Amino acid sequence: MVAPRALGVLLLLHLAPDEGDFTRRDEKPRNVCQGFANMNSYEDFDLNRTAGCFSKCTHSQEELCHLGNLQRYWLNFETYLAERSQTDTLNTSFLTALVKSINTNVSEDLYFSLNPSQIPKQVTKDEHQHPDRVRLPKSLFRSLKSDRPMVRLGIVVLDIGPGNVFKNMNLSCEFWDATKGDWSSKGCSTEVGVRRTVCRCDHLTFFALLLRPTLDEATVKALIHISQAGCGTSMIFLAFTIVLQTVLRFSRQRFKSEDAPKIHVSLSISLFLLNLAFFINVGQRLKGSDAACWARGAIFHYFLLCAFTWMSLEAFHLYLLVIKVFNTYFSHYFLKLSLVGWVLPALIVIGTGIANSYGPYSIRDEKNVTTLELCWFREKIALYVTVHGYCLIVFLFSAAILSLVSWKIFTLSSATAGKEKGQHWKGVLTLLGLSCLVGLPWGLALLTSLGPFTAYVFALFTSLQGVFIFCWFIILYCPSQSTVTSSSGTARVDHAHTVSQE
């Protein structure tokens, strides 16, 4: 479920002679992004129309685009700036540019800043003050010395925003090869550091620091099959958990008043609906209208947030039972938890929907071929805030609570070690069950960038969460007589009663 923001900055460099010949074309193809009706037309209106292609063009070709022509247009515009334009700087919402005359007899390398929000400017070698910059070696200018004493240098920085024109995932310095219609690393090297990445290219053209994908089609298909098998199995066991809770609620008096079983079942319901939404979303791909895709993305998002929220509520309830213990009376306790568990995600989804953030989402392989399409997010910022950020908060909260519970459990085990054997093993098993209950396996998402293996582990454990919850429910609420008499206090902690008047 996790994809990165598209390439934010594109750099063009051009060394132009003092003179040039420009002609304007009068033909007007219908689609600007396909045939460029405004080729060699550089008024504000023409520039804005062409910059609009960044958000319209996709690799799926839903909007007809010609990326080679798109590159050619901006190269021609840079040449126009260097040769014919009377302005030395340009500053728009999507483009900044600097045009400067350079003496070919320079004595040192030249550095220029590349901050997308500022006009490029010549800077010193100080890398800490200007981390985003380009270096032009003095040998480059001296090689032109025999032709002319002065050259015009044009530096243009394009901000393509969240569009899908150049969408990738691993750090790689590459340039746009118009002959192949794709990015290429030929002539460029990448030096990845802790606090910076250095690109070294032996030619001047469109080049950028890309984020290349790491999952090929076979890996994506394997992960989908694992997730579908795990989710299907979890749905069956979650259904058993819900039915079992309903039966016990009528057969055992304490189930009508205890809150812990109700919270477990609420989490089970949210996970069951999340798995169902996953099957519908992945199974139908991008079939249907845009409105249908918007709705599927919103529903999937809602149940995902519900699952995360109920996991955090499980952790909160665990804190009350094990850590706080005393003064845990709350009027209408479970009703208040239900409002948080079901209403808070709805408010987030409504806000995200108003911002029109849902839409087609795709994952691509190292050859930029689409390997998976589904209805999810079209706006990456909303994805990072409402999914990645929300999941991270839940994970940190649950991890903190579980750390306190671990300390409590093993302190209790040490105190009773002389009376009962195997207390540490029971404590470990209890913690494993609680980890699944509060959603710690979802924290493996933080490690999926390390390689396919961690992605497989993440898909396996998260998709089988429903099975783990069922097992935990059975051990706690349907124990044998021998288990009851020999169980440790760590397992019985979930049976504690939090007073709730509803």
Side-chain angles (χ1 to χ4, degrees):
M1 288 194 196
V2 192
R5 173 180 170 83
L7 175 64
V9 178
L10 187 63
L11 171 69
L12 300 82
L13 288 176
H14 181 74
L15 287 169
D18 293 333
E19 296 182 358
D21 182 28
F22 287 87
T23 59
R24 299 176 64 90
R25 300 181 181 178
D26 295 328
E27 59 269 21
K28 303 289 183 181
R30 294 181 180 179
N31 192 324
V32 173
C33 300
Q34 171 64 29
F36 289 103
N38 56 334
M39 184 68 78
N40 295 333
S41 298
Y42 307 118
E43 301 297 333
D44 291 343
F45 175 76
D46 302 314
L47 293 173
N48 275 281
R49 282 211 307 168
T50 310
C53 296
F54 293 144
S55 59
K56 295 178 181 178
C57 296
T58 64
H59 286 292
S60 60
Q61 296 299 307
E62 292 176 2
E63 180 81 19
L64 292 178
C65 298
H66 194 301
L67 297 183
N69 283 347
L70 182 61
Q71 178 206 27
R72 193 172 299 109
Y73 176 85
W74 292 108
L75 283 174
N76 289 346
F77 171 65
E78 186 184 37
T79 305
Y80 166 79
L81 285 178
E83 298 183 6
R84 299 290 296 274
S85 176
Q86 301 300 315
T87 60
D88 294 330
T89 60
L90 188 64
N91 188 7
T92 69
S93 60
F94 58 89
L95 178 147
T96 57
L98 169 69
V99 180
K100 187 175 183 179
S101 296
I102 303 293
N103 192 318
T104 55
N105 192 28
V106 293
S107 58
E108 58 185 13
D109 299 341
L110 301 184
Y111 297 84
F112 295 89
S113 66
L114 299 176
N115 191 324
S117 62
Q118 299 176 356
I119 297 175
K121 62 180 180 180
Q122 188 170 353
V123 297
T124 64
K125 191 179 180 180
D126 184 359
E127 63 184 36
H128 300 291
Q129 186 176 358
H130 305 285
D132 300 322
R133 59 185 182 142
V134 63
R135 178 182 70 90
L136 299 179
K138 58 185 179 182
S139 58
L140 170 66
F141 298 98
R142 290 181 177 178
S143 65
L144 303 172
K145 185 176 180 180
S146 58
D147 298 331
R148 53 182 93 70
M150 300 287 293
V151 293
R152 292 273 285 175
L153 171 67
I155 299 178
V156 177
V157 180
L158 287 173
D159 185 352
I160 68 172
N164 294 324
V165 179
F166 312 115
K167 184 179 180 181
N168 307 88
M169 278 189 318
N170 257 348
L171 291 179
S172 176
C173 298
E174 303 185 15
F175 74 98
W176 180 257
D177 189 343
T179 60
K180 298 180 180 179
D182 197 4
W183 292 98
S184 172
S185 59
K186 184 178 181 180
C188 294
S189 63
T190 307
E191 297 179 11
V192 181
V194 177
R195 307 184 68 176
R196 69 172 186 174
T197 300
V198 178
C199 297
R200 302 183 185 277
C201 296
D202 60 8
H203 53 279
L204 298 175
T205 182
F206 274 81
F207 72 88
L209 181 62
L210 299 183
L211 297 174
R212 278 291 186 186
T214 57
L215 299 180
D216 55 25
E217 184 176 3
T219 302
V220 171
K221 288 183 177 180
L223 290 173
I224 292 176
H225 293 325
I226 291 174
S227 299
Q228 289 178 328
C231 289
T233 305
S234 285
M235 289 178 68
I236 296 174
F237 281 89
L238 289 169
F240 288 159
T241 303
I242 298 170
V243 172
L244 183 60
Q245 150 66 11
T246 305
V247 172
L248 292 176
R249 188 174 178 85
F250 287 102
S251 62
R252 296 187 183 182
Q253 182 61 33
R254 68 183 180 86
F255 265 74
K256 296 180 180 180
S257 57
E258 286 190 0
D259 295 305
K262 301 176 186 177
I263 299 174
H264 297 341
V265 170
S266 297
L267 174 59
S268 299
I269 294 174
S270 65
L271 286 172
F272 181 90
L273 295 174
L274 173 61
N275 291 332
L276 180 60
F278 170 77
F279 271 107
I280 296 174
N281 204 357
V282 174
Q284 295 187 7
R285 293 283 182 106
L286 296 181
K287 297 178 182 179
S289 63
D290 291 341
C293 187
W294 186 98
R296 283 160 52 192
I299 292 173
F300 188 34
H301 186 208
Y302 172 70
F303 290 127
L304 179 65
L305 294 182
C306 286
F308 285 158
T309 305
W310 278 108
M311 291 173 201
S312 64
L313 293 176
E314 286 275 13
F316 173 73
H317 187 70
L318 188 63
Y319 167 78
L320 295 181
L321 295 181
V322 181
I323 307 301
K324 191 174 182 182
V325 181
F326 302 105
N327 299 323
T328 57
Y329 171 83
F330 296 97
S331 62
H332 306 291
Y333 175 65
F334 182 70
L335 176 60
K336 293 176 180 178
L337 293 184
S338 298
L339 289 176
V340 175
W342 301 111
V343 177
L344 177 60
L347 296 177
I348 297 175
V349 170
I350 290 173
T352 308
I354 292 175
N356 196 27
S357 299
Y358 302 116
Y361 180 88
S362 61
I363 297 177
R364 307 177 189 283
D365 63 10
E366 69 278 359
K367 296 181 180 179
N368 212 23
V369 177
T370 300
T371 56
L372 176 64
E373 290 182 321
L374 69 159
C375 296
W376 188 224
F377 277 82
R378 76 173 86 198
E379 293 293 338
K380 299 302 182 292
I381 295 179
L383 173 64
Y384 295 147
V385 174
T386 65
V387 177
H388 297 178
Y390 200 88
C391 178
L392 181 61
I393 292 173
V394 170
F395 172 75
L396 294 176
F397 175 73
S398 299
I401 297 298
L402 201 62
S403 298
L404 294 175
V405 172
S406 302
W407 172 79
K408 197 81 171 181
I409 286 177
F410 289 107
T411 300
L412 177 63
S413 299
S414 299
T416 60
K419 300 179 180 180
E420 297 185 36
K421 297 181 179 180
Q423 292 296 318
H424 286 289
W425 278 110
K426 293 177 181 178
V428 171
L429 293 177
T430 300
L431 287 177
L432 290 177
L434 293 175
S435 298
C436 296
L437 208 63
V438 301
L440 286 193
W442 288 87
L444 293 171
L446 303 174
L447 305 177
T448 53
S449 60
L450 299 179
F453 175 76
T454 54
Y456 284 117
V457 175
F458 170 77
L460 180 64
F461 277 89
T462 54
S463 63
L464 291 177
Q465 187 177 5
V467 179
F468 302 143
I469 291 177
F470 173 79
C471 296
W472 175 259
F473 195 88
I474 291 295
I475 292 173
L476 283 180
Y477 300 109
C478 300
S480 63
Q481 185 63 30
S482 60
T483 305
V484 172
T485 58
S486 63
S487 63
S488 68
T490 59
R492 290 198 303 269
V493 75
D494 202 45
H495 290 286
H497 180 60
T498 302
V499 179
S500 172
Q501 298 295 330
E502 299 188 58

